[in-house]
Amino acid sequence: QVQLQESGPGLVKPSQTLSLTCTVSGGSISSGNYYWSWIRQHPGKGLEWIGYIYDSGSTYYNPSLKSRVTISIDTSKNQFSLKLSSVTAADTAVYYCAREVEYCGGDCSSYFDYWGQGTLVTVSS
Amino acid sequence: QSVLTQPPSVSGAPGQTITISCTGSSSNIGAGYDVHWYQQLPGTAPKFLIYGNSNRPSGVPDRFSGSKSGTSASLAITGLQAEDEADYYCQSYDSSLTVFGGGTKLTVL
């Protein structure tokens, strides 16, 4: 059973960089069949996809956040990480890491089959 | 404003059937991208519910079913149970970008 667990500071000051790590257990992050993603949920709101990384290190980000986002991977530790720079109160959210699976029924898309429990990050001075 | 539109809320009595719609456009669902669904119980992470419009992962009861037609998709829940009370989200692609619906809160009366 694959499990994902987010970790990192729950409080970040405005203008600083939010940093989170997702540790994957029960499976290898290097299996080559999956993307490793970050998704966030503003309080009381819906889900927003942030971006993903492949085990090769290739990344793809949501254009709305692309200028501030960096996702990296450490296959030796079975972890991947999120950095979001220049944060404001609008970045206060629960951040989830998830495993993303490519699916080609019609045109190829993907879905998220395993999720971390989520971690609340508050941006405040 | 979400790219995929869901009703903010639906409700039903135990045992009844409800449906949740997910309306898109020609750049996402109508373009041929599949729709996937998630259930989010209060205070928990989303749970994978339906993939590829109508496929259930192992462990998901057959009370849950999905369909897609044109630029819309639907999630149906039959034999409604109290534990089905949750938020439900549809997800698809739009111009190669993952997009979610705004979510629907299901209340079991």
Side-chain angles (χ1 to χ4, degrees):
Chain A
Q1 175 81 353
V2 173
Q3 293 184 314
L4 296 91
Q5 177 69 57
E6 305 88 353
S7 60
L11 181 64
V12 181
K13 288 180 168 38
S15 80
Q16 293 190 341
T17 296
L18 177 161
S19 296
L20 296 174
T21 295
C22 182
T23 301
V24 180
S25 59
S28 172
I29 204 170
S30 303
S31 65
N33 295 323
Y34 307 107
Y35 303 98
W36 302 96
S37 297
W38 289 96
I39 296 159
R40 70 180 182 179
Q41 185 171 33
H42 293 102
K45 301 296 185 183
L47 300 162
E48 179 181 29
W49 176 76
I50 297 171
Y52 70 61
I53 190 164
Y54 198 54
D55 64 353
S56 64
S58 63
T59 55
Y60 187 50
Y61 303 138
N62 188 325
S64 68
L65 297 168
K66 185 177 180 179
S67 63
R68 299 192 293 130
V69 171
T70 302
I71 298 176
S72 58
I73 193 166
D74 186 337
T75 55
S76 67
K77 294 182 179 178
N78 232 34
Q79 296 176 333
F80 62 107
S81 299
L82 169 71
K83 290 189 185 299
L84 182 65
S85 63
S86 305
V87 297
T88 69
D91 294 309
T92 293
V94 174
Y95 286 77
Y96 296 100
C97 58
R99 190 176 81 170
E100 187 169 349
V101 182
E102 185 177 40
Y103 181 78
C104 297
D107 286 359
C108 290
S109 64
S110 61
Y111 56 79
F112 305 95
D113 61 347
Y114 289 99
W115 297 63
Q117 65 184 27
T119 186
L120 174 63
V121 178
T122 302
V123 179
S124 174
S125 56
Chain B
Q1 192 92 6
S2 300
V3 172
L4 304 178
T5 302
Q6 298 181 234
S9 63
V10 298
S11 63
Q16 287 188 332
T17 297
I18 64 96
T19 60
I20 297 172
S21 61
C22 175
T23 302
S25 67
S26 58
S27 66
N28 41 67
I29 299 175
Y33 293 116
D34 292 309
V35 179
H36 320 292
W37 291 89
Y38 304 87
Q39 176 194 60
Q40 186 174 33
L41 297 170
T44 69
K47 171 193 169 185
F48 178 42
L49 196 63
I50 296 284
Y51 69 97
N53 307 317
S54 58
N55 302 291
R56 282 186 309 277
S58 60
V60 173
D62 59 6
R63 301 187 297 105
F64 295 88
S65 64
S67 63
K68 171 189 162 182
S69 178
T71 58
S72 296
S74 292
L75 173 71
I77 309 176
T78 61
L80 208 56
Q81 299 180 4
E83 58 261 36
D84 298 332
E85 187 159 290
D87 293 326
Y88 292 83
Y89 292 90
C90 61
Q91 176 242 317
S92 187
Y93 260 31
D94 188 300
S95 303
S96 300
L97 177 68
T98 293
V99 290
F100 290 94
T104 298
K105 181 176 182 57
L106 168 62
T107 300
V108 180
L109 302 171

